[in-house]
Structure formats: structure tokens, C-alpha cells
Amino acid sequence: MLPILDKSRQKEYALLSLLDSADRYFSCQELAQSLKLSERTIHKYLQDLTTHLAEHCGQDFHIERSTALGIRLHRVPWLNIHTVYTKFAQKSMSYSFFHTMFLETSDTTTAFCLSHYLSQASLYRTLTPMRNAVAAFSLTLDIANMRLSGNEMQIRYFFNNFYLQIYRGYDWPFPAISRQRVMNAIEDILNALDFPMSISDRKHFSYWLAIIAHRLTLRHSLSSTLPAELGMENEAYQACLPAIQRFFQRFRLPLLTAECQFIFYLLHAFPFGVNIQQRLFAAARDARGFDCLPLTATDHFMAVFARYFPNWIGLGAPSFRQKLHRLHFHGALLSGSSDLPERYPFLKSYQSTYPNFAHHIQKLYEALEPHPCGRCFADARYLLPHYILLCSQYFNLTAAESVITLALLTDYGPIYEEKIKQEILSRFQDEFHLQFVTTNVAYDLLITNLPAPIHSPGHLTLSIHTAFNAREWDMLRQLLTHIRTQKPLHP
């Protein structure tokens, strides 16, 4: 995520997120340890949070503080804490600065600082995290002149991410642009393509169109048409071109070919509906009738993918290729950070959870870029998390890992042993590639409830009492993790 919140608000929101993670009482000591803060600081943030929630949310969100029980967040089921994030973000200095810069209502930081009663040194310190975030979009932040420098498409992409992160499409931060006219334009374009779009996707698309319209009113237009290798000149483009042109006419904006192409291109590069993109990708050919660059990039990806994951070829649904097409359209023209690691925590730990898969997906990615389609693969920050997430959606990642063999030696009897096997698999099959074998063949781990100590070289042993208790489940996880780290990676 973009670091929009001020530091104190970041800590408050982290505390709120922790309280929201479970419907139970937390001790102050537990909160302090989890957030690596002192208990005194936790009490301060709790007091501030209580005040903010009472001011903005009433009883929909409120914090209960009990000397005997601890601290608990109460919230109504139809609201989530992002509403609080939005309030915090709107009051942050980063939001005020970038929103002012987008609207171009202030020319210099001197004027901005005077109107916000702060020093330039304070502003520079506050914006330091955002400077790195902006660089991820291949842009440079000129704080003194309140300007983003870089490709116009990237500037628009950054502001789209900026506003979507805060508002999720449900508020309208563009005062000079009529939302109803934008939504009418979207309906017009969709009718031309004869495909529906979900409400949330329309809201996302409406932000893009509002940003385009606003930038054009300030005379920030695209400098050249899109490259022919992207295959924009096709029957689908011709079908919706009149509707796209009417969008510019609605706002009395200049009719520029590059701007029309860019709006059409956005429908390829972002998840705006499977049905729409099926038609767009089918039409995406160059003037000679060959696949355009992003579609060729998908063919190359699949060829390299078969080399590193031969057992998975043919298992992926057609939608797997469709989603790869979208990623490669994105990569051919845009670059930017991905918030997938924040939304899917397993992306931060997949290298330890699936070491063999992680090794192969990294090798796969390194083999992509030397191809003539290399520009589609250049944005690792965006693409690699999406590739990993796609694979986790369509394939069993544990199948790429070395098999860990388990053997049971118990006096439970065959029926109860099968139940134990099923419970072990249900708990660990998403993390480990497990296989049960008989005790007369080689195995990695023996699980037994027999009272006599069994410990021989060549394998590990876990002794349980009658059935698994919490300690023994934890011990089993530790042993499986240890065995996995000792297994060699597949070539």
C-alpha cells in the first residue's frame, strides 16, 4: 500500500486492525508485544482511537476497555474498518499534498505550507516515505515545485492507485468532474462492446476516466499514439471508438487519437470483466492478422512455464491464459507497485513455505526477459506477485515440493488410523507435500503412540499419547518444516 497515513495514524490503524482481527478481548501486554510498542503508548493510541471512533462512527465502531477482561473492538457487521482508514487518510498531510498537487490549486510548497501552517522541513520529512512509493511508478517527486515528473500514463496510474486505495471507488474526490457524466460514458462504451461490467469495476473505471478528463483540462495530454505492436487498431476498437469519442465531447475535451487508444487499452490491462476481455483479446491482432505483442508474450510465458513446471501443463483453465494476457498488456505499457503482498500475506512467506516452487518461479521469471517480448516482462514488482497468485489459484503449489513420507505405527486399528491420516492431511496439505507409506519402506517421519521409545537413524519420530493434542500438532509442524528444509530442491 502507498504510505499515505501519517506515522501516528499508521500506528493507530495497525492497532485497530489488530483489535479487528478477532472478536475477543486482548490484553494491553498482548497488543504491546504484537505491535512492538510500550504499554503506555498503547494506552495513548487507544484513547485517541476511542475519540476518533466516537466522532466519526458513533456506536457502529467502539472500543470496550475492561480492567478485568481487557480491550475489545465492537463493530456492526455491515461496516469494515476501511471507513476509518478513509477518515485517517483524508486528514493526512500526504493526502492534502498530493490531492492539492493533482488539482493544481497551489504552485509551490511555500504557498502550501502557509495554508497548512507547517514548515517546509516538516513537510519534507512527512513526504519521505511517499518519495520511494512514487519511484516505484517510475516517477520523480519534485516537492519544491509540487510536481510529479515522468511519463503521463504513469502519472495517471499513480493517481488512480492513490485515490482507489483511499476511497475504493465509493466516494468521488474529483470536484470538477461530473460522476454521472462519467458513468453515462462507461455505459455507452459497454453498450458498444455489448458486455456487462460489475458495479465495483465501473467505479474503478470511473476513476480512470475522471483522472484522464481532469489531466486534459489542465493540458496534460499523451504525447504520442500507442505502438502498433499493441494491436489497438482492430474491430473491437472500431466498435467502441464512437462511444469513447462521445466521452471527450461530453467534457468538451480535445479528440486525440492517443487518448482514445489509451481508454481502450485500459480495458485490456486491468481486471474489468472476463467477458469483455475475452472479446478484446480475441480481437487483439496487429494489422497483418498476427497476435500482438502481449499475446505473443503469453505464448512465450507458457513455453517457459512448461520447462519449469512440466506436470502442470494442461491443468490450467483457459482463464489462466486470459489472466496472463491481462498481465502482459499491463506490463507492455505500465509499471507500478503491487499491493498483493499486503492483501495476500502468503506472498511474503511463500519462499519458505514452497521453497521448490519459489526457486522455479524465480528461474522462470529470469528466463522471460531476454525474449523480444521482454518489455512485457520488465516490471517484476508488479508481475511476479501476480504470477505467484495465479499459480496458487490454478495449481496445488505443494505438488511442486519434495514429497515428505509419513508412516504410522499405532495400536489404534485401521479405521482410526485412516481418520488420523485424513486429519493430518487436512491440516497440512496446503503447506506440505505429504504421502503416507507403510513402515516396511523408507520414510521421513514415523508417528507412533506406542510407549517404547523408537528412535533410529534415517528418519525422525514423533510420539503421541492417545490422540494429537495442541503441543503435538505444533511438534508435527516443526518436524515437517525441518524435514522440508533438508530436502534438496528439484533440478
Side-chain angles (χ1 to χ4, degrees):
M1 291 179 69
L2 297 173
I4 296 170
L5 299 186
D6 298 336
K7 281 188 178 180
S8 61
R9 292 289 184 265
Q10 289 176 18
K11 296 293 186 182
E12 282 185 45
Y13 192 69
L15 175 57
L16 182 65
S17 298
L18 182 55
L19 291 171
D20 188 55
S21 65
D23 187 16
R24 65 177 178 86
Y25 290 96
F26 293 80
S27 70
C28 186
Q29 183 181 23
E30 180 184 2
L31 296 173
Q33 289 176 344
S34 297
L35 298 176
K36 296 180 173 54
L37 299 170
S38 68
E39 292 186 36
R40 181 177 179 180
T41 304
I42 290 293
H43 281 297
K44 174 185 178 300
Y45 286 140
L46 282 171
Q47 185 60 49
D48 291 342
L49 263 178
T50 301
T51 302
H52 293 312
L53 293 180
E55 178 183 351
H56 298 297
C57 308
Q59 287 302 301
D60 290 342
F61 285 104
H62 68 275
I63 294 174
E64 176 191 352
R65 300 173 70 178
S66 166
T67 304
L69 300 174
I71 301 139
R72 187 173 192 165
L73 175 68
H74 297 273
R75 68 172 174 89
V76 293
W78 57 86
L79 287 176
N80 67 59
I81 64 171
H82 189 79
T83 59
V84 180
Y85 175 86
T86 301
K87 297 293 184 184
F88 283 179
Q90 286 177 300
K91 293 187 175 182
S92 73
M93 191 54 59
S94 292
Y95 177 80
S96 296
F97 182 85
F98 280 93
H99 188 53
T100 300
M101 184 167 60
F102 175 74
L103 298 177
E104 295 193 4
T105 53
S106 183
D107 294 333
T108 64
T109 53
T110 302
F112 179 83
C113 290
L114 287 173
S115 63
H116 287 79
Y117 306 103
L118 78 160
S119 68
Q120 291 193 24
S122 279
L123 179 63
Y124 274 75
R125 284 195 300 271
T126 300
L127 294 177
T128 296
M130 284 296 288
R131 191 192 295 271
N132 294 331
V134 163
F137 290 84
S138 304
L139 299 172
T140 303
L141 175 61
D142 182 353
I143 297 177
N145 295 305
M146 296 194 70
R147 186 170 59 241
L148 280 177
S149 300
N151 183 285
E152 174 63 20
M153 291 181 190
Q154 290 297 124
I155 293 173
R156 297 176 184 185
Y157 186 27
F158 168 77
F159 279 115
N160 180 69
N161 276 265
F162 179 78
Y163 288 116
L164 269 180
Q165 178 175 313
I166 298 169
Y167 296 109
R168 300 278 183 89
Y170 286 89
D171 282 332
W172 191 247
F174 313 108
I177 306 297
S178 165
R179 185 167 205 176
Q180 187 56 55
R181 276 195 279 172
V182 169
M183 297 305 286
N184 291 342
I186 291 174
E187 185 68 23
D188 198 9
I189 293 170
L190 294 177
N191 287 338
L193 290 170
D194 195 25
F195 279 117
M197 183 184 285
S198 70
I199 293 296
S200 60
D201 288 343
R202 287 175 188 240
K203 291 179 182 294
H204 181 179
F205 196 30
S206 71
Y207 273 39
W208 267 113
L209 295 187
I211 289 168
I212 291 169
H214 182 74
R215 293 290 292 176
L216 286 174
T217 61
L218 299 172
R219 294 184 171 83
H220 300 301
S221 59
L222 300 180
S223 58
S224 59
T225 57
L226 272 59
E229 62 202 23
L230 297 181
M232 293 293 96
E233 295 292 341
N234 57 59
E235 55 88 15
Y237 178 62
Q238 297 304 321
C240 69
L241 180 58
I244 294 174
Q245 290 173 335
R246 285 192 289 272
F247 162 71
F248 294 100
Q249 292 165 351
R250 280 183 172 96
F251 290 94
R252 295 183 174 85
L253 298 171
L255 269 177
L256 304 174
T257 300
E259 298 291 350
C260 293
Q261 288 180 334
F262 183 60
I263 288 178
F264 182 63
Y265 191 87
L266 293 174
L267 294 171
H268 298 69
F270 293 90
F272 287 135
V274 174
N275 290 332
I276 294 174
Q277 290 183 334
Q278 281 178 341
R279 175 179 177 182
L280 296 179
F281 296 151
R285 302 288 186 268
D286 64 22
R288 300 168 298 165
F290 295 113
D291 282 350
C292 65
L293 186 72
L295 301 190
T296 304
T298 295
D299 291 337
H300 176 59
F301 177 95
M302 294 300 293
V304 179
F305 187 80
R307 188 190 318 161
Y308 289 95
F309 299 99
N311 295 331
W312 289 355
I313 287 300
L315 299 180
S319 58
F320 181 66
R321 287 183 66 91
Q322 293 285 333
K323 291 173 183 177
L324 287 172
H325 289 337
R326 182 189 68 77
L327 293 180
H328 297 145
F329 268 100
H330 188 287
L333 207 60
L334 300 166
S335 63
S337 61
S338 170
D339 63 350
L340 290 186
E342 285 73 27
R343 287 189 281 156
Y344 299 93
F346 98 92
L347 288 170
K348 296 180 179 179
S349 58
Y350 81 96
Q351 290 178 311
S352 58
T353 308
Y354 309 108
N356 207 64
F357 167 77
H359 174 73
H360 282 72
I361 200 73
Q362 184 62 42
K363 290 293 184 183
L364 180 155
Y365 185 79
E366 291 170 359
L368 292 174
E369 198 169 347
H371 191 268
C373 295
R375 62 181 286 186
C376 294
F377 308 121
D379 189 14
R381 186 191 298 267
Y382 182 89
L383 286 176
L384 195 54
H386 279 86
Y387 287 151
I388 295 164
L389 190 64
L390 261 185
C391 288
S392 72
Q393 179 183 353
Y394 286 90
F395 309 108
N396 177 14
L397 299 191
T398 58
E401 303 306 309
S402 299
V403 176
I404 297 176
T405 51
L406 308 179
L408 288 181
L409 183 60
T410 72
D411 56 6
Y412 290 143
I415 294 177
Y416 193 63
E417 276 199 359
E418 285 302 314
K419 185 177 183 303
I420 289 287
K421 290 179 183 179
Q422 291 303 315
E423 188 167 2
I424 290 172
L425 289 174
S426 67
R427 282 177 177 259
F428 299 111
Q429 63 186 353
D430 289 339
E431 298 178 58
F432 303 95
H433 192 182
L434 302 180
Q435 180 180 328
F436 283 94
V437 297
T438 58
T439 55
N440 63 333
V441 299
Y443 50 81
D444 297 308
L445 176 64
L446 177 70
I447 300 173
T448 180
N449 73 331
L450 301 181
I454 303 174
H455 186 65
S456 57
H459 66 257
L460 298 173
T461 301
L462 173 62
S463 183
I464 60 177
H465 182 41
T466 53
F468 277 92
N469 58 31
R471 176 195 291 270
E472 289 161 352
W473 284 121
D474 287 342
M475 291 173 66
L476 178 55
R477 181 183 298 279
Q478 293 172 24
L479 289 170
L480 292 175
T481 302
H482 172 74
I483 293 169
R484 182 173 58 195
T485 60
Q486 303 303 308
K487 291 273 187 181
L489 294 177
H490 296 329

